[in-house]
Amino acid sequence: MRYLLLSDIHGNWPALEAVLQTAPKYDRVIFLGDAVGYYPDADRVLSWLRSEGAIGVMGNHDAWLLHLDDLDPEEQTGPIFEILSWQSERLSLENRAYLGSLPWTQEVDGALLVHGSACDPLQYVDDLDTARAHFGCTSARWTLHGHTHLAGTFLALEGPNGQWVRYQRQVHGTELLLAPRARALVNPGSVGQPRDRMPGAAYALWDSDDGSVQFFRVEFDLERILRRILDEGFPLWLYERLLVGR
C-alpha cells in the first residue's frame, strides 16, 4: 500500500494544492495533525481531507481550536489564538465533526500515527534524547509523526551496547529504505509552513510493502497565499516566514 504522508497543513490551501498536483500515485492519505492554524483556508483543507477519507490524528492546533471555550482566557493571547478563533467561526459543522473525530494516535499497516511522540502526542521530537524516549514508549517498527515542521527521520537499532539512535535530515528526492532490524520515526515535514530553511511544501510517500519512504518538496504560489493573508487581515510575518522556510 502506498500512503501519501501529509502533516502540519495549517490552512495553507495553495501549498496543499501544489502537493496534490505533483504527488506520485498513492492509495490512501495519512494526515499527521494540524489541519488548522496560521493560514486562512482551514475549512477548505478539512473538506478535502474529509472527502479523501484521510486516515488522521489530532494535532495541537486542532485540539486548541476545538476547545477554545475550555481554555483559560489568559492562555488565549496573541495572533495564533486570534486566528484559531477566526477559523472556528468559519468551520462547517461537518468539518468540525470530522476534526473532533480524530484520535490522538492510531495504527495503520503496523505503523503508529501520532502528531508528536509515542510518549506524549504533544511532545516535540527534535533531538536524540526525545527520540530515544519515544522508541522506549512504543514497540512499533514504524512511527509517522509531524509537529516539528522538519522533514527527517530518527532511526533506532538495538546493539550489543544498547540502543543506537541517529538522525537523518530529509530533502527533496531522498529515500529511506528501512533495514530489517531497524525502527524509524518518520516526519514528512510541513505542507503549510516548513521550518527547516527550505521553502516549499514538504510531504512524503510511504510504501508499507517494500518498507520505503520517499521525500518531496514542491514550490507553491506564494503570491496567492499573500493575497489570502492580506484579504483576511492576517499578520504579514506568516507570509515572510514562507519565503525562507522557517
Side-chain angles (χ1 to χ4, degrees):
M1 185 79 76
R2 289 162 62 87
Y3 294 94
L4 180 66
L5 304 183
L6 305 175
S7 190
D8 299 281
I9 305 169
H10 284 297
N12 190 338
W13 176 255
L16 177 58
E17 193 171 46
V19 168
L20 301 179
Q21 290 169 350
T22 61
K25 184 179 178 181
Y26 60 88
D27 301 302
R28 293 291 304 274
V29 172
I30 287 178
F31 166 62
L32 298 167
D34 278 359
V36 307
Y38 292 126
Y39 300 100
D41 292 315
D43 196 57
R44 191 170 187 181
V45 166
L46 285 166
S47 290
W48 181 83
L49 289 170
R50 185 165 55 85
S51 68
E52 190 73 12
I55 306 166
V57 292
M58 183 80 66
N60 56 304
H61 283 252
D62 305 322
W64 288 339
L65 182 145
L66 291 169
H67 299 286
L68 285 172
D69 292 340
D70 301 325
L71 297 175
D72 186 328
E74 293 185 0
E75 297 178 4
Q76 298 184 46
T77 58
I80 301 305
F81 285 98
E82 292 176 7
I83 289 169
L84 289 171
S85 179
W86 183 94
Q87 291 175 339
S88 178
E89 294 173 357
R90 290 161 175 79
L91 283 193
S92 72
L93 293 177
E94 295 83 1
N95 288 339
R96 181 180 292 276
Y98 169 79
L99 192 65
S101 73
L102 295 176
W104 284 111
T105 65
Q106 65 171 309
E107 293 188 8
V108 174
D109 250 358
L112 173 67
L113 313 185
V114 64
H115 189 56
S117 160
C119 305
D120 179 350
L122 300 183
Q123 182 180 41
Y124 287 93
V125 183
D126 52 9
D127 58 36
L128 293 178
D129 287 338
T130 52
R132 287 190 187 95
H134 160 81
F135 287 115
C137 289
T138 179
S139 60
R141 185 163 182 248
W142 290 95
T143 301
L144 311 175
H145 78 135
H147 202 22
T148 66
H149 296 217
L150 305 174
T153 308
F154 288 97
L155 299 173
L157 188 64
E158 295 297 332
N161 298 316
Q163 188 183 69
W164 170 84
V165 178
R166 71 184 178 95
Y167 179 72
Q168 292 181 345
R169 185 186 186 197
Q170 303 291 353
V171 298
H172 178 76
T174 59
E175 182 175 8
L176 167 70
L177 293 173
L178 192 60
R181 292 170 48 222
R183 294 197 290 155
L185 174 61
V186 176
N187 190 327
S190 171
V191 173
Q193 192 188 85
R195 296 178 185 169
D196 48 14
R197 299 188 181 276
M198 290 188 292
Y203 67 99
L205 193 73
W206 173 49
D207 191 319
S208 62
D209 295 324
D210 68 12
S212 68
V213 182
Q214 295 175 287
F215 294 84
F216 301 90
R217 190 77 54 122
V218 61
E219 294 181 355
F220 59 91
D221 191 342
L222 288 169
E223 294 307 306
R224 189 173 160 203
I225 193 66
L226 174 60
R227 289 194 298 272
R228 291 290 295 123
I229 287 170
L230 294 176
D231 287 347
E232 303 299 349
F234 280 29
L236 189 59
W237 59 262
L238 291 169
Y239 165 74
E240 292 170 343
R241 67 186 305 168
L242 293 175
L243 299 176
V244 293
R246 68 171 181 83

